[in-house]
Amino acid sequence: MTSNNTFTMIKPDAMADGHMGKILAHIQAAGFRFKALKMTRLSQAQAEAFYAVHAARPFYGELVAFMSSGPVLAAVLEKDQAVADFRTLIGATNPEQAAEGTIRKLYARSIGENAVHGSDSDENAAIEAAFFFSGLEQA
Ligand code: CMP
């Protein structure tokens, strides 16, 4: 069965660049409901754990350093087809290849500092939501 939830983070680049409010409004205007929301800062060990699936990739060290460099805003979002629709909303990983009007096209700095995360499957959405939030925190 397809879940209606996805997980997102507004990444340290977009937080530092003052885009948090505009990105939240963009997400809401697209019909997503916020089930959980938290501003926090990942330690290096937490960023390593969250991105463990990418540990063998050449950019892993850079990714972990960046994701622990400043605050992030983590959220669980609800909508029909949340995972697929949110990935359409944020655009391609590389903002140079992202469609016009997508969050990454509008706000990302680069492929590594790309403004937002979006889960790539229902299974990963549940794992990633549980990394940041308890069941009690998802209303
Ligand atoms: P995201 O899809 O949120 O999670 C994995 C992240 O790895 C991805 O966003 C990018 O920020 C980062 N990433 C992917 N490819 C590269 C790359 N070639 N160079 C640097 N970072 C990358």
Side-chain angles (χ1 to χ4, degrees):
M1 196 181 92
T2 301
S3 155
N4 292 331
N5 293 342
T6 192
F7 172 81
T8 186
M9 265 188 287
I10 301 180
K11 298 187 181 184
D13 61 320
M15 297 295 281
D17 293 343
H19 296 319
M20 182 187 81
K22 287 171 287 188
I23 292 173
L24 291 176
H26 196 125
I27 293 169
Q28 269 192 314
F32 291 85
R33 186 178 81 80
F34 286 84
K35 288 189 75 174
L37 190 65
K38 179 186 292 183
M39 189 161 90
T40 187
R41 181 170 176 163
L42 294 170
S43 67
Q44 181 178 323
Q46 288 167 332
E48 284 171 355
F50 186 84
Y51 285 109
V53 67
H54 295 303
R57 309 287 282 272
F59 56 80
Y60 181 63
E62 191 184 317
L63 175 62
V64 166
F66 166 62
M67 289 303 299
S68 55
S69 69
V72 298
L73 193 78
V76 179
L77 305 173
E78 183 178 54
K79 184 182 181 297
D80 288 348
Q81 301 186 66
V83 167
D85 285 2
F86 193 70
R87 286 176 74 80
T88 300
L89 189 73
I90 66 180
T93 304
N94 185 347
E96 289 178 13
Q97 290 161 9
E100 291 298 328
T102 59
I103 291 174
R104 284 173 170 158
K105 184 70 170 185
L106 288 166
Y107 303 117
R109 292 178 181 171
S110 65
I111 188 170
E113 302 189 2
N114 63 357
V116 284
H117 171 80
S119 304
D120 63 5
S121 66
D122 289 346
E123 183 188 11
N124 283 335
I127 292 168
E128 292 167 1
F131 188 95
F132 280 87
F133 300 100
S134 73
L136 273 177
E137 292 172 310
Q138 299 182 46

